[in-house]
Amino acid sequence: MLESLKHLLGYPGPSGFGSKSTADQVTQSSSHLSSLTAIITGATSGIGAETARVLAKRGVRLILPARTVKAAEETKARILSESPESHIIVMPLDLSSLNSVRTFVSHFESLGLPLHLLINNAGKFAHEHAISEDGFEMTFATNYLGHFLLTNLLLKRMVETAEKTGVQGRIVNVSSNIHGWFSGDIIGYLALITRTKTHYDATRAYALSKLANILHTKQLALTLEQMKANVTVNSVHPGVVRTRLTRDREGWLTEESEVIRKESVKIMQAAATTCYVATHPRMMNVSGKYFSDCNEASTSKLGSSSTQATRLWSASQSMISMGPNPLLQLSHQ
């Protein structure tokens, strides 16, 4: 109750920011951004678009991958109308397709650009049961597995960029406090809803994907530490905000209590935590953490499990390297 009250009042935490802080405000002290290059997924609308707008305003070169290139071009045009000097590159990417992810990375690497920031923001809420071309439940494939592969393939470039420039690389995984709604066996449930739609629950599938984002963050932070890489990774909860994603799950949202409706924040505030974690000097050397309202927060018990993080990492490595229907082989891991 106390945390909810602090959120509603916009009470600033140790970072000096809170739920009422905007993306513009949290990036004001980040004067170094004009030398950076960022990839932002899901930047065609909502939180991603606001994140892109603010970073472009601060001088960051943007790579905007999108399933619908036309929508990304429209985002680019809006940003250029405000910040005419911005350098923005639009590229096709369908995160639900592992082949598309590989093609995107190959195309990006051919540009010879550095990579300082990777913001895994794109999200999907699938009301109806669907399976990706690679044999995975669609919400999981889009929200988590595509980002897992994308990050994996871009990591070498990020590490090299940090070594050459001396600028610490940062990866931000946009999750949600809804991750705490999932309980049970992650791999087992994923295998179950991949095999049959009978047990599919759209909200639980979404919660699982957001939990996976957090576990990915936890294990990747450990991997980066072992590599002695000058790259950090953190996950964020942007807040409940009325974007295209929440409109897609309108039935779920309206069934929840009025508290959720009152906690809904504006886009410019929702993008603040992502921008804070991606750019603020206070975040130097901070890795493997979870943030909400621009301050470190606690995950669910499952989200803090090192055992589950290691297990999911191992399974994910298998998923991106196996042929059709890989979960049939992974359900007993």
Side-chain angles (χ1 to χ4, degrees):
M1 181 61 71
L2 179 59
E3 290 304 313
S4 295
L5 183 60
K6 287 181 178 179
H7 173 87
L8 289 170
L9 296 176
Y11 183 82
S15 70
F17 301 108
S19 65
K20 302 301 183 184
S21 301
T22 67
D24 272 309
Q25 290 170 342
V26 303
T27 57
Q28 284 178 351
S29 62
S30 302
S31 58
H32 65 287
L33 298 184
S34 60
S35 64
L36 305 188
T37 298
I39 292 176
I40 308 173
T41 68
T44 58
S45 65
I47 297 167
E50 176 66 2
T51 299
R53 182 192 72 82
V54 171
L55 293 189
K57 181 179 177 181
R58 303 301 182 202
V60 179
R61 179 199 284 124
L62 301 181
I63 312 296
L64 303 184
R67 184 170 58 85
T68 306
V69 172
K70 182 176 181 291
E73 291 288 358
E74 290 170 353
T75 298
K76 176 180 176 178
R78 287 194 298 270
I79 293 173
L80 288 173
S81 68
E82 178 182 347
S83 304
E85 302 302 316
S86 299
H87 184 187
I88 304 171
I89 301 172
V90 170
M91 296 169 60
L93 171 62
D94 180 354
L95 281 162
S96 73
S97 164
L98 299 181
N99 183 60
S100 179
V101 173
R102 293 186 175 100
T103 299
F104 166 81
V105 173
S106 178
H107 185 187
F108 171 74
E109 290 182 336
S110 73
L111 300 177
L113 295 173
L115 182 59
H116 305 87
L117 305 175
L118 173 59
I119 300 177
N120 293 320
N121 167 82
K124 179 182 182 65
F125 184 93
H127 276 292
E128 303 298 328
H129 180 264
I131 301 298
S132 73
E133 65 181 43
D134 302 292
F136 302 101
E137 188 277 317
M138 189 62 77
T139 300
F140 179 86
T142 304
N143 294 1
Y144 168 72
L145 194 61
H147 282 128
F148 177 86
L149 177 60
L150 180 67
T151 304
N152 191 42
L153 295 178
L154 291 171
L155 202 55
K156 183 169 182 276
R157 178 58 56 90
M158 292 197 73
V159 172
E160 290 174 347
T161 297
E163 288 176 348
K164 290 178 181 178
T165 64
V167 177
Q168 189 169 76
R170 297 188 187 181
I171 301 168
V172 181
N173 288 330
V174 178
S175 181
S176 168
N177 63 2
I178 295 169
H179 79 273
W181 294 12
F182 183 87
S183 60
D185 181 2
I186 299 171
I187 304 301
Y189 181 66
L190 180 60
L192 184 65
I193 61 175
T194 294
R195 287 196 303 265
T196 173
K197 65 180 181 180
T198 306
H199 299 280
Y200 180 72
D201 179 287
T203 300
R204 193 176 185 210
Y206 181 78
L208 182 151
S209 72
K210 297 289 100 180
L211 172 62
N213 293 146
I214 288 174
L215 293 175
H216 176 213
T217 301
K218 187 176 183 65
Q219 190 64 27
L220 180 56
L222 179 60
T223 299
L224 290 167
E225 182 181 359
Q226 293 170 343
M227 292 169 59
K228 300 188 184 306
N230 189 22
V231 177
T232 64
V233 57
N234 292 285
S235 57
V236 304
H237 164 60
V240 179
V241 59
R242 289 192 60 78
T243 64
R244 187 170 62 193
L245 178 63
T246 53
R247 288 195 297 272
D248 284 348
R249 61 176 190 264
E250 188 68 24
W252 161 77
L253 188 62
T254 54
E255 288 170 6
E256 293 307 304
S257 68
E258 188 65 19
V259 172
I260 286 182
R261 201 180 307 277
K262 289 179 180 179
E263 287 186 350
S264 181
V265 297
K266 295 179 180 178
I267 293 291
M268 60 186 182
Q269 295 164 340
T273 304
T274 296
C275 288
Y276 174 80
V277 171
T279 69
H280 202 280
R282 280 179 177 266
M283 289 299 299
M284 179 69 68
N285 298 324
V286 177
S287 194
K289 305 299 184 180
Y290 173 66
F291 288 80
S292 177
D293 295 338
C294 300
N295 289 278
E296 187 175 343
S298 298
T299 66
S300 67
K301 183 177 180 180
L302 203 53
S304 65
S305 171
S306 297
T307 300
Q308 292 302 321
T310 301
R311 181 172 178 247
L312 180 62
W313 181 278
S314 177
S316 301
Q317 293 284 13
S318 298
M319 290 178 205
I320 62 175
S321 61
M322 296 169 67
N325 301 318
L327 283 167
L328 295 178
Q329 303 172 51
L330 292 170
S331 57
H332 297 296
Q333 284 198 5

